[in-house]
Amino acid sequence: MKRFAQLFTQLDQTTKINTKVNALAHYFQDADDKDRLWTVAILSHRRPKRTVTTTLLRHWAAEYGNIPLWLFEESYHVVGDLAETIALSLPPKESEQDQSLSYWIDFIKSLGALEEEEKQEKVLWAWRQLDDAERFIFNKLITGGFRIGVSQKLMVRALAKYTGMEENILAHRLMGDWTPDTTTFQDLIITADPSDDLSKPYPFYLAYALEGEAQDLGMPEAWQAERKWDGIRGQLIVRNGELFVWSRGEELVTDKFPEYKVLAERLPNGTVIDGEILPFKDGQPLTFNLLQTRIGRKNVTKAVMSKAPVVLMAYDLLEWAGEDIRQKPMAERRKLLEYAVADCHHEVLMLSPIVPFSTWEVLAQERAKSRELHSEGIMLKRKDSDYKAGRKKGDWWKWKIDPLTIDAVMIYAQRGHGRRANLYTDFTFAVWDGELLVPFTKAYSGLTDKEFGAITAWVKKNTVERFGPVRSVTPHHVFEIAFEGINLSKRHKSGVALRFPRISRWRKDKPKEEANTLDDLKSLL
Amino acid sequence: MMGFAPAQYYFDLFLYKGDAIDRKNMALLEFRKEGIYCPAADIYIDPWRRVKRALITHGHADHSRWGHQYYLSTTSAMPVIKYRLGDIRIETVAYGEKKYINGVQFSFHPAGHILGSAQIRVEHKGEVWVVSGDYKIEEDGFAEAYEAVKCHSFITECTFGLPIYKWKPQQEVFQAINQWWQQNKSEGKVSVLSGYSLGKAQRIIQNLDTSIGKIYTHGAVENVNEVIRQQGVRLQETTRVTAAIHKKDFIGHIVVCPPSAMGSPWIKKFKPVSLGVASGWMMLRGARRRRAADRGFVLSDHVDWPGLNQAIKATEAERIFVTHGYTDIFKRWLIEEGYEAEVVETEYEGELSEITDSKEEKAEE
């Protein structure tokens, strides 16, 4: 694993994209096919199944590190990463080894069948011979969630550099339902024919938020506008009489949405539609919260389906009559899509309506109606654009509505994770209800590192009470909280739940008395 | 403005008798809003509010503040303190030298933190207390080496009082720093390495391999270097970065600057560049990534976890007061280890100035 650890260190030590791509491409050159494939798998969020619980790992690490468990937990709150906390808590290694990455992954997989004591013995055996960086990687592989500052996009670039193949072809080949146990590097990447895999989706084309003014985009005639719907982006595939539904997170979610089953018969084979999985009833979209009640469930019951029925709001057509039509211009694909939806003629498949506009002012007025239409804003797509892979600038833009905002008082603080470890970055905010401050949301992001540094120093000096990792602080600082939506909630003390809350700015100009009230907040419902 | 009188004059001031208060039942040191106080001698140690008489452990801004009437420090700490605080009345003692103030015996002992840094030992009627100031066990070849001092009560910093903080021997760290410099040189880059301008910067300078190239310094660092050289301490040759030096002249060489310079426009004159940070905080991956530096080197002038425990044990003290750092956690640990331990709220920052921007460092740019 030394070579992989070296790669990890190189990636971790730089913030420069090109340096990362080069390091990764070099690694691909040096590694064998098995390690290569596992690296691709890990960097596309496919990790081995968890075979040891984190509770056990915590206990073993504290024991081997010769510290009490509570001290290990305190350290964890500071480090903000379990794998790293373990690596830093262990004594120096006792012996040397240089097994491959695949060796250690197989090793981790083999733990699943063992009894607890045998697991402990094997994990300790591994820790004793791995160095600091290797231990961290080993722990990451066990605990999952391997984020090493390499996006899938960057990995594909490196793979393109190494193989000499085109990025969008590679991105497509990496999609879908594979694991290193079901394929090889050669089969998946080098010789693969995507049509071998009936379920294989296309990479999603993702839009950036519009920068600057809409009129800077040029002639309105060149653009197609649609509503931006607030559901889950998905891809619906009908091939060989079978139906597959993928979420944007590349999860196969066919079983979660039985409503779509009927489409397997009503759409012709060789059809792939890009759309929004949208909760929809009585002619209008429902809130995203309802959809969340469905995603978490193992069994989608009739009751759940009637409470939160879904449609597929179709945006685009990627494959038609078995042919990949992503290179055709948007306008042409839209015509085919309109035909496909009409021909299917079923209420579960809807066409995302085009918003007609002759000038940018007209579109701005349409955008202003977004909230009442339960939409997040406007999507702009250049009529002559092809369907690209991944997040690309230029042809597609999302023009979201401005968020709702409220001024709130910070009352609790907790340390962050990852790159915010050891800084107080996770805050709970409250609004006034008479003389009382009622907590209504948490928010993490939105301040600069410098501001987080300043707030951290302040929190340390103004702590009132500590509850484990959480500190209550003197109510003093006011922050503007931005959010996308608000709903009634029985689970929250304040009676409301926010969607995508984040800190939009630090209102140093406002004393705490001037923060908003619970009534102000509820008036946004 | 008042001129400087000979040191002897101030010596007498330290013999000031203090107010006649009943001092039975009084602790030898107590904790006041102004700082750590010795009632028997009517004197403060590293106070953070203005007081009449202050004993100073070392010259860092959070320990050595402006505005006291009289200062006492070690001989080797004095020049920097005077340079930073300007026209102050200061008297000095040698390490180990005993000084009696109002019948209380004070002595300064090497803390290994930076040049001139001291732990302050206080003895009265058979009772001994030690105030650690900031300290480090490992010898760095520049600061006077730390000495364990036995006492009954020990007031210790615990900036890095968690078991995750374990330093590698500095030789290994400097090997990595020099390798990084060499690598940057071979890629035609300037190496810029940040470390606090008093202490860390000189420790770095002293351990750089000058067969690779020249050492340039930021003004804040070079000002301190000049003071230190004037007191007769040898330091490797350095060159102050000035506008007169051409951009190309920095290529392949290393620039040592304070942390606050890293995010400033000043840094833009070095191109292409690799940025390094030397700090104990670099132990954590999160902190390394947050820094947006290319490399983080784990190098601290404070004790690590094993060092802290070793130092406490060596004092043979039964009562431990912990200040700045992970105080609550460290206190609980000490209690479980069988010590009597308490947290003392102070305004010391430890190495905090390396993660947040220090105002003082900015002012010196």
Side-chain angles (χ1 to χ4, degrees), chain B residues 94-167:
Chain B
Y95 284 116
E97 186 186 333
K98 287 173 185 143
K99 183 130 204 127
Y100 291 89
I101 301 171
N102 230 18
V104 183
Q105 180 192 305
F106 292 89
S107 53
F108 289 58
H109 304 267
H113 176 59
I114 61 170
L115 184 71
S117 69
Q119 312 171 68
I120 297 180
R121 182 182 183 277
V122 187
E123 181 177 348
H124 190 53
K125 296 180 180 163
E127 195 185 345
V128 181
W129 288 54
V130 168
V131 179
S132 76
D134 291 340
Y135 67 107
K136 166 170 104 280
I137 307 278
E138 191 192 13
E139 252 198 90
D140 65 15
F142 193 69
E144 298 87 346
Y146 162 89
E147 270 174 26
V149 185
K150 290 192 175 41
C151 58
H152 301 109
S153 299
F154 185 43
I155 302 172
T156 179
E157 62 135 317
C158 61
T159 308
F160 293 107
L162 281 181
I164 48 172
Y165 296 108
K166 287 175 256 190
W167 311 150

Side-chain angles (χ1 to χ4, degrees), chain A residues 12-13 16 68 70-71 74 78-79 84 88-90 132 147 418-423 449 466, chain B residues 162 164-166 168 281 283-286 289-290 294-295 305 326 328-329 332-333 336 356 362:
Chain A
D12 216 33
Q13 280 174 353
K16 298 191 176 70
W70 69 264
L71 186 54
E74 291 286 1
V78 168
V79 177
E84 188 183 359
L88 294 174
S89 298
L90 303 178
D132 297 353
R147 284 168 180 239
R419 72 183 281 284
R420 277 118 160 249
N422 215 3
L423 281 185
D449 284 347
R466 291 163 213 234
Chain B
L162 281 181
I164 48 172
Y165 296 108
K166 287 175 256 190
K168 297 246 189 291
W281 301 113
M283 191 83 205
L284 301 188
R285 197 173 157 241
R289 288 195 290 163
R290 191 159 65 226
D294 299 297
R295 284 295 294 274
W305 172 262
Y326 303 98
D328 292 303
I329 301 169
R332 182 172 166 194
W333 161 258
E336 287 187 8
T356 52
K362 280 221 157 126

